[in-house]
Amino acid sequence: YDLSAVSISGDTLSMSIYKGKKILIVNVASKCGYTPQYKDLQDLSENYKDKIVVLGFPSNDFLWQEPGSNQDIATFCSTRYGVAFPMFEKVKVRGKDKHPIYQWLSEENKNGWNKKSPSWNFYKFLLDEEGKLIGKFGPKVLPASNDIIQLIEQEQ
């Protein structure tokens, strides 16, 4: 909750505003085979709006599959998939210049147990209501998978 990120519209948001809900952080891309997951992420966001917030972080780290500007990404997401969950500016999710949120998510000494950075687009990290990392899921794991839904529905 000490970290912040810049929204796709340019506002700096503290992660502390999401305290009390689970958080699903996803690195997204608009030219990837997994891009249709945007719809699944939006459905998850709507169906579990009282329990979870989905945060999308566009990244061009994997085969340049997110080449657009922040405005291009915002337009694509809203017109093509009806995305209404919070989206952030394009960031690095791996390597030496990775965003501080992704540093926290992928460094064991910061999050308590995970040392793996995203291996591809639509990699998902799930945090509980207190900001503790409780799950990570590869891109093949759909947002509505039993593994994710069970953790969302699980009471603290």
Side-chain angles (χ1 to χ4, degrees):
Y1 294 122
D2 295 337
L3 300 173
S4 62
V6 177
S7 74
I8 204 153
S9 60
D11 300 316
T12 300
L13 300 176
S14 169
M15 293 298 109
S16 66
I17 65 174
Y18 304 116
K19 192 170 188 170
K21 284 190 173 187
K22 289 187 170 86
I23 303 170
L24 187 68
I25 297 175
V26 188
N27 61 298
V28 294
S30 58
K31 299 194 181 301
C32 175
Y34 295 112
T35 299
Q37 285 189 30
Y38 267 126
K39 180 188 181 315
D40 301 332
L41 291 167
Q42 181 58 35
D43 290 346
L44 184 77
S45 177
E46 289 173 12
N47 295 337
Y48 290 93
K49 64 181 172 248
D50 295 335
K51 293 183 177 264
I52 193 168
V53 62
V54 175
L55 304 180
F57 284 85
S59 178
N60 200 31
D61 286 357
F62 305 101
L63 291 181
W64 309 280
Q65 293 185 345
E66 189 52 89
S69 68
N70 288 326
Q71 182 57 50
D72 293 339
I73 296 165
T75 300
F76 173 84
C77 289
S78 64
T79 58
R80 185 86 183 265
Y81 292 101
V83 168
F85 57 82
M87 291 285 293
F88 293 85
E89 70 180 0
K90 192 167 21 174
V91 299
K92 294 275 189 195
V93 301
R94 63 186 208 165
K96 65 179 177 68
D97 295 327
K98 69 182 156 188
H99 189 278
I101 288 174
Y102 277 88
Q103 289 175 20
W104 186 88
L105 290 169
S106 61
E107 294 177 17
E108 184 177 16
N109 63 326
K110 294 181 180 182
N111 66 52
W113 62 273
N114 179 55
K115 57 185 175 185
K116 186 168 172 50
S117 292
S119 56
W120 198 251
N121 301 309
F122 291 88
Y123 200 92
K124 300 154 197 78
F125 292 95
L126 184 62
L127 286 68
D128 71 8
E129 295 86 346
E130 297 299 319
K132 180 182 172 197
L133 183 62
I134 59 170
K136 64 181 176 74
F137 307 92
K140 291 181 182 179
V141 178
L142 297 176
S145 73
N146 284 337
D147 292 339
I148 293 175
I149 298 299
Q150 286 175 355
L151 287 172
I152 292 171
E153 291 179 343
Q154 187 175 54
E155 295 299 321
Q156 227 183 343

